[in-house]
């Protein structure tokens, strides 16, 4: 178990500069979008939503299925997390491999 996690975390070192910048920009955009979606809830929920999006965004590359489940759970608690759920589900679908599809 620990070796599998260590191997997954070590793949981050193989990212190019472009991928790192792209992931950083996506994390910031998602964090700002999720914070903006919580303006009616107050500053505490804005901060929680922004932090959750900023943490889950890079982790989706390493743990796609786990992040998808976590995003769905957070989406049940925080309104406006649908955009993050779309991004995470698209990424998880691309990384969990072909072969299993609802269309088949």
């Amino acid at each position: 178990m620990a070796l599998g996690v260590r191997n997954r975390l070590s793949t981050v070192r193989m990212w190019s500069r472009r991928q790192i910048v792209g992931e950083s920009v996506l994390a910031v955009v998602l964090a700002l979008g999720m914070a903006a979606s919580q303006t009616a809830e107050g500053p505490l929920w804005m901060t929680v939503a922004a932090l959750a999006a900023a943490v889950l965004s890079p982790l989706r590359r390493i743990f796609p299925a786990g992040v998808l489940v976590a995003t769905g759970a957070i989406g049940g608690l925080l309104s406006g997390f649908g955009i993050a759920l779309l991004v995470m589900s698209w990424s998880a679908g691309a990384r969990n491999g072909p072969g299993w599809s609802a269309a088949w």
Side-chain angles (χ1 to χ4, degrees):
M1 173 78 179
L3 289 176
V5 172
R6 182 175 289 151
N7 287 339
R8 285 181 176 222
L9 290 175
S10 68
T11 61
V12 174
R13 292 186 198 135
M14 294 186 286
W15 287 3
S16 67
R17 290 181 184 170
R18 183 177 179 189
Q19 285 176 311
I20 292 171
V21 169
E23 289 297 319
S24 301
V25 168
L26 179 65
V28 168
V29 168
L30 277 178
L32 290 174
M34 296 308 102
S37 71
Q38 299 297 316
T39 54
E41 305 297 326
L44 175 65
W45 288 110
M46 288 175 64
T47 306
V48 168
L51 285 175
V55 168
L56 289 174
S57 179
L59 284 179
R60 73 182 168 76
R61 293 285 209 154
I62 302 167
F63 306 109
V67 168
L68 178 61
V69 171
T71 304
I74 293 170
L77 298 173
L78 299 173
S79 62
F81 231 74
I83 299 298
L85 188 59
L86 287 172
V87 171
M88 304 306 172
S89 63
W90 174 76
S91 180
R95 282 174 182 61
N96 283 334
W100 295 99
S101 175
W104 297 107

